[in-house]
Amino acid sequence: MESEIKTNKIKIEKINENDYNRIFVMSDIHGQYDLFLKMLDRIDLKREDLLVIIGDICDRGKKSYEIYMKCIKMIKLGYNLKFILGNHEDMFLEDLENDYPIRYETEYSVFRNSKYFENKDMKDWHEENFLEEIEWLVKWLKNCPLVISGNENIFVHAGLNLKKVLEKQEKETVLWTREEFWLAENVELEEYKGKNIYFGHTPNINGRISKKTDRIKGIDCGAFFTHFLGCVEIKSQEEIYVYENEYIQFPEVLDKVFREIWNEEVAEFIDSEKYKIKSRKSGIEKIRILKKLDREEKKVLKKFFEKYKKMFCKNI
């Protein structure tokens, strides 16, 4: 039996794990359509099973739209597939609502590289009424929960504030948290005792499923960066992986992940003329400070390096 809990903060969907034979969870596919198809073939999903995707199908890769279409087709064919909104879907919906074209003009957008929308700019899409063509997708995403909670498991995109019960979680937290969740001490609230928590959002740069504890697992294998996609069957705890025949080497993964985090958390706060980034053969970045940083810029830089070291040193 399933139900929904709507609060003034987030939407939570309740499930009963006993309703399904097997339950698979994967995350952060980011346009890697071929990897997604490989994983579906590998797990051999049946109609009595459940597949939970915990956010971020879109952006970065070239076939985001194709993955959404595949998901909807599977649902129509009677497969149990549930999707949790990720921060990239949330940004996508926000941009559409505000008619904000910048993200659609980049190589990482939902439609930019898709064979369905290739080489069309925002003006073209408006002239051709593209919003009508994706109306089904927008409607589906708007109805997706931010958390799925069962008797024994919780699924969320980025993580939780473990000091708060589910109904009091903030949208910003479940979509965006990183080190606040990953590095937080475990707080055994009654609601979380004995439950497994599966999250994505923070890529594991060695292409494997990571563990905060035995019961808290990070499913984001950095598919766009590592070309690995991971999946867990939660009843047996089997970890399943698929990968491309030709995939980028580990140093390149480090380089890409480092740049992504730098651009997200540092670049907008420090004048680009004050630093220069160089890549080494090892893939580790070298930052040269060219001009004196002010007090706030120093704080941002210090926080970034502390966060980077703590979050990824165990995987390097």
Side-chain angles (χ1 to χ4, degrees), residues 71-86:
C71 289
I72 291 297
K73 182 178 180 180
M74 290 172 65
I75 292 171
K76 289 181 177 180
L77 289 173
Y79 289 92
N80 296 302
L81 187 153
K82 296 185 181 297
F83 182 69
I84 291 174
L85 212 64

Side-chain angles (χ1 to χ4, degrees), residues 6-170:
K6 288 187 178 180
T7 73
N8 60 345
K9 295 180 180 178
I10 64 171
K11 178 180 178 181
I12 302 170
E13 181 175 344
K14 301 285 287 185
I15 65 168
N16 185 337
E17 292 93 331
N18 295 326
D19 291 341
Y20 308 100
N21 183 27
R22 299 178 298 168
I23 300 177
F24 297 95
V25 56
M26 64 181 76
S27 178
D28 294 80
I29 305 170
H30 280 305
Q32 303 301 299
Y33 179 64
D34 293 338
L35 280 179
F36 181 55
L37 294 184
K38 279 189 176 184
M39 182 61 80
L40 291 178
D41 183 62
R42 178 75 181 276
I43 65 178
D44 191 22
L45 192 72
K46 306 296 184 183
R47 286 177 174 82
E48 60 268 24
D49 299 328
L50 171 64
L51 171 60
V52 179
I53 302 176
I54 51 179
D56 283 8
I57 282 176
C58 66
D59 294 343
R60 298 199 176 103
K62 294 184 177 182
K63 295 183 178 180
S64 301
Y65 192 68
E66 287 82 343
I67 301 175
Y68 289 124
M69 292 180 69
K70 178 66 175 178
C71 289
I72 291 297
K73 182 178 180 180
M74 290 172 65
I75 292 171
K76 289 181 177 180
L77 289 173
Y79 289 92
N80 296 302
L81 187 153
K82 296 185 181 297
F83 182 69
I84 291 174
L85 212 64
N87 62 305
H88 282 258
E89 280 84 19
D90 187 61
M91 288 189 290
F92 164 60
L93 293 175
E94 183 179 349
D95 289 349
L96 282 179
E97 184 176 335
N98 294 295
D99 196 20
Y100 188 64
I102 292 180
R103 286 182 57 77
Y104 306 124
E105 297 299 328
T106 71
E107 61 178 314
Y108 300 136
S109 72
V110 175
F111 306 116
R112 188 64 171 174
N113 292 310
S114 170
K115 66 181 180 181
Y116 295 96
F117 296 92
E118 191 172 9
N119 298 322
K120 293 185 180 181
D121 59 24
M122 203 65 176
K123 182 180 178 182
D124 293 332
W125 292 338
H126 277 293
E127 290 177 351
E128 298 176 23
N129 295 318
F130 88 102
L131 287 175
E132 293 182 8
E133 189 166 346
I134 64 167
E135 186 176 359
W136 65 270
L137 175 58
V138 174
K139 183 178 180 180
W140 182 57
L141 291 177
K142 285 184 175 180
N143 285 325
C144 288
L146 290 173
V147 175
I148 292 177
S149 177
N151 302 322
E152 300 175 359
N153 304 278
I154 297 172
F155 306 91
V156 62
H157 176 62
L160 300 170
N161 180 341
L162 294 174
K163 296 180 181 180
K164 294 183 178 181
V165 296
L166 276 183
E167 283 72 20
K168 292 187 177 180
Q169 296 291 321
E170 300 283 348

